[in-house]
Amino acid sequence: MTKGEVAAKTPMPVGVEAGKDYFWCACGKSKTQPFCDGSHKGTDFRPVRYTAEKDETKWFCACKQTNGQPFCDGSHKAL
Ligand code: FES
């Protein structure tokens, strides 16, 4: 699978709310990381939807190299 551009080399913690949808930026071009702002238009990338199961802090991938989208899997350590 093609990976997006590196937006940052550390993951981003986000306090998510139960039942709410989040759209993770896969292309790396969004100005509102780690989420999609529509900047993927014209590319083959699409945002990845995540629905929170409970109120908690999740670590979203910002380097876009993760194999566990939309979350950090430690891939940024190899950059
Ligand atoms: Fe990156 Fe939408 S802006 S997937």
Side-chain angles (χ1 to χ4, degrees):
M1 186 198 302
T2 306
K3 303 284 176 65
E5 295 176 10
V6 176
K9 290 186 177 176
T10 53
M12 297 182 166
V14 176
V16 299
E17 296 174 38
K20 191 172 169 187
D21 288 333
Y22 296 86
F23 293 87
W24 177 75
C25 168
C27 73
K29 295 177 183 297
S30 174
K31 299 283 187 281
T32 57
Q33 293 295 334
F35 302 118
C36 175
D37 71 353
S39 295
H40 61 271
K41 287 197 180 87
T43 74
D44 291 334
F45 288 97
R46 296 293 177 271
V48 173
R49 182 166 77 178
Y50 165 69
T51 305
E53 291 169 7
K54 57 181 180 178
D55 292 1
E56 63 182 329
T57 297
K58 298 294 263 184
W59 289 79
F60 286 85
C61 170
C63 76
K64 313 303 175 184
Q65 311 307 300
T66 183
N67 290 308
Q69 298 179 354
F71 304 114
C72 176
D73 72 350
S75 293
H76 62 275
K77 293 177 187 156
L79 296 174

